Amino acid sequence: MTNNQPHHDLSGPPTAPPLILGPSIGTSLAVWEPQLPALTRTHRVLRWDLPGHGGSPVALLPSDGSATIGDLAALVLRLADEQGWERFAYAGVSIGGAVGLHLAAHRPERLTSLAVVCSSARFGDPAAWRERAALVRAEGTEAMVASRPGTWFSHGFAHTPVGAALIEDLRATDRAGYAACCDALAAYDITADLERIAVPTLVVAGRDDPATPPAHARRIADAVPGASLLEVAGAAHLAGVERPEPVTAALLAHLTDSTAQPHDDATARPQNDTPYDTTPHTHTPHDTTPHPDTPHTDTTPHTDASRHAAGMAVRRDVLGNAHVDRAVARTTPFTARFQDFITRYAWGEIWTGDGLDRRTRSCITLTALIAHGHDAELAMHIRAALTNGLTREEIGEVLLQSAIYCGVPAANSAFATAQRVFDEIDAEHVTTRASTTTATTTTATTTTKVDTASRSDTEK
């Protein structure tokens, strides 16, 4: 890297189609870590840091208040030129998404496809961004730390290792670089140019995002011809970090469809060409869960990327969001390949097959775990069996059947494990009911003042 280039990272096969990923203000290229294993199987991925963020020099943007999104787009083109990429796919989060929209509107011949994640055509009142720039120049990025967890994440995700690491990225961001990005957002409004964007476009929104609520995404999707929209439940501003599976699956499908289509002339794309969702502008969320007894016909994935995406979706359906979130948060460079392996193989090939329904698969899984004495895994899959539609009585029948063919001691241990799981679930239900009662009482007796400024549409 030279002083006139952003810090960047290259991953994936050198001969694969190029993909550039842009970050959000206050973060680093680490914001794309959850998607990297899947994307690098099919693309040569370049992630870059904003000026003054991560490892990028501050001086890449002017510090006199004149910085623009166009300046950041020029940095992206400089990186692409250095790699010899005449055309590339681009995906960006928030301000990174704004850079992508600018490129699609003003340099469409350079893009093969565009994905805009938790972004906007206009990030609210320019004066608010000027005020934030002045605040950070005076007090540093620490002034933003207290408000970011509730903006970036929902459901306490900020307290996970991944969430905490991103907050530390914010603390480490240079005040001048952060403020210059605020200047660029203050000057940014691409609303009038959206209708002339012709590259295949995917728009992703976090349903709980207070910074760029789903209405911002809908405005982009409504204006860009043929654009697709995904709203991710249970996700705030950094949806790809908090709910990586649906975001990754959408990106993979969008990139696959875009690569399969000829785009010799990006400006010649038909107005009704829809790369991801065959029903444009209906905005039906793709974050759906099939009935446990419904066989998954015609959904067998055929590539590593699609297997991983499908596997993560089924894994979340079967094991639950809390378990998968914990597993993702605990993943290290040492365990990442194993996690990728089981996601693609166990969940992406076996559990997605259409030959058996999930109830039956749960019965088989319980029996195998009992036979081998894997009590920790058994406890997890007893919960999964309940999710897949088995009753406690039916689980008892599976355990009793196992006593004959796996041995009485193995079944005895399995019954003890199952009872412990049932007791834990019952205790959780009691705690939930008590919390709900307390919250209702508190709401009825307490008037809470809401800080509307911290959840404004102008928040990034």
Side-chain angles (χ1 to χ4, degrees):
M1 185 195 77
T2 62
N3 286 332
N4 66 344
Q5 287 182 338
H7 172 255
H8 57 280
D9 172 84
L10 282 166
S11 307
T15 59
L19 167 63
I20 298 180
L21 303 177
S24 174
I25 189 172
T27 70
S28 70
L29 50 75
V31 77
W32 283 104
E33 286 287 347
Q35 284 70 45
L36 200 62
L39 296 179
T40 52
R41 282 195 294 273
T42 56
H43 286 77
R44 180 66 164 170
V45 177
L46 187 154
R47 297 175 295 159
W48 60 283
D49 282 327
L50 293 163
H53 296 60
S56 287
V58 177
L60 292 172
L61 281 181
S63 58
D64 60 358
S66 64
T68 66
I69 294 297
D71 294 333
L72 293 173
L75 294 176
V76 170
L77 293 179
R78 193 180 300 166
L79 289 171
D81 291 342
E82 182 191 50
Q83 299 300 319
W85 297 342
E86 293 185 5
R87 307 188 72 211
F88 53 90
Y90 183 89
V93 182
S94 202
I95 190 173
V99 171
L101 289 170
H102 180 94
L103 289 169
H106 298 284
R107 298 299 301 273
E109 76 282 359
R110 300 300 302 269
L111 298 188
T112 57
S113 69
L114 171 65
V116 179
V117 182
C118 296
S119 191
S120 182
R122 180 178 183 271
F123 290 91
D125 183 5
W129 287 106
R130 300 291 186 195
E131 291 173 4
R132 186 190 293 193
L135 173 66
V136 172
R137 283 190 174 103
E139 301 181 16
T141 54
E142 188 67 34
M144 302 304 304
V145 168
S147 63
R148 293 311 86 189
T151 299
W152 286 356
F153 310 116
S154 61
H155 312 305
F157 188 87
H159 300 295
T160 67
V162 174
L166 286 167
I167 296 297
E168 288 306 308
D169 279 348
L170 172 61
R171 282 195 167 97
T173 299
D174 185 277
R175 65 178 68 194
Y178 188 101
C181 288
C182 291
D183 294 333
L185 289 168
Y188 167 76
D189 186 350
I190 203 168
T191 305
D193 294 326
L194 292 177
E195 63 183 13
R196 64 190 183 92
I197 291 177
V199 299
T201 301
L202 167 68
V203 186
V204 178
R207 197 168 292 166
D208 300 328
D209 183 359
T212 53
H216 288 232
R218 294 188 198 108
R219 283 195 285 271
I220 297 172
D222 286 338
V224 175
S228 304
L229 174 64
L230 168 70
E231 292 184 15
V232 181
H237 193 52
L238 298 185
V241 175
E242 191 169 15
R243 292 293 312 281
E245 293 81 19
V247 174
T248 303
L251 286 170
L252 290 170
H254 177 63
L255 291 167
T256 299
D257 288 347
S258 300
T259 302
Q261 298 172 12
H263 297 298
D264 292 336
D265 181 0
T267 62
R269 178 167 167 252
Q271 295 291 297
N272 62 351
D273 178 17
T274 311
Y276 177 60
D277 183 352
T278 56
T279 310
H281 301 143
T282 57
H283 309 323
T284 300
H286 295 262
D287 188 20
T288 57
T289 302
H291 189 277
D293 290 340
T294 303
H296 298 272
T297 57
D298 299 323
T299 60
T300 303
H302 300 289
T303 67
D304 275 354
S306 58
R307 287 186 191 101
H308 186 277
M312 286 303 286
V314 173
R315 187 180 179 189
R316 187 173 286 276
D317 288 345
V318 173
L319 299 182
N321 291 336
H323 175 86
V324 175
D325 288 342
R326 287 193 299 270
V328 170
R330 289 195 302 264
T331 301
T332 67
F334 180 69
T335 63
R337 289 186 63 190
F338 177 73
Q339 288 293 324
D340 176 66
F341 167 73
I342 62 171
T343 300
R344 285 186 290 109
Y345 185 51
W347 297 104
E349 291 193 20
I350 305 305
W351 278 89
T352 57
D354 58 6
L356 296 172
D357 61 42
R358 292 186 186 174
R359 283 169 49 89
T360 304
R361 291 189 186 279
S362 278
C363 291
I364 296 170
T365 302
L366 293 178
T367 303
L369 293 173
I370 292 168
H372 289 276
H374 298 312
D375 290 342
E377 291 280 316
L378 177 63
M380 177 181 71
H381 275 279
I382 287 172
R383 286 179 176 266
L386 294 169
T387 300
N388 286 340
L390 290 176
T391 66
R392 296 188 182 191
E393 292 73 18
E394 288 170 330
I395 291 174
E397 290 294 327
V398 173
L399 270 55
L400 192 61
Q401 184 87 1
S402 299
I404 305 302
Y405 295 95
C406 301
V408 171
N412 183 50
S413 178
F415 270 103
T417 298
Q419 187 62 61
R420 174 171 55 81
V421 171
F422 296 156
D423 291 344
E424 290 172 356
I425 292 173
D426 292 341
E428 290 165 6
H429 289 169
V430 170
T431 301
T432 300
R433 286 195 296 270
S435 298
T436 302
T437 302
T438 301
T440 303
T441 303
T442 302
T443 301
T445 59
T446 304
T447 300
T448 302
K449 295 182 180 179
V450 178
D451 180 3
T452 57
S454 67
R455 300 184 65 85
S456 165
D457 280 6
T458 66
E459 186 60 83
K460 164 64 182 51

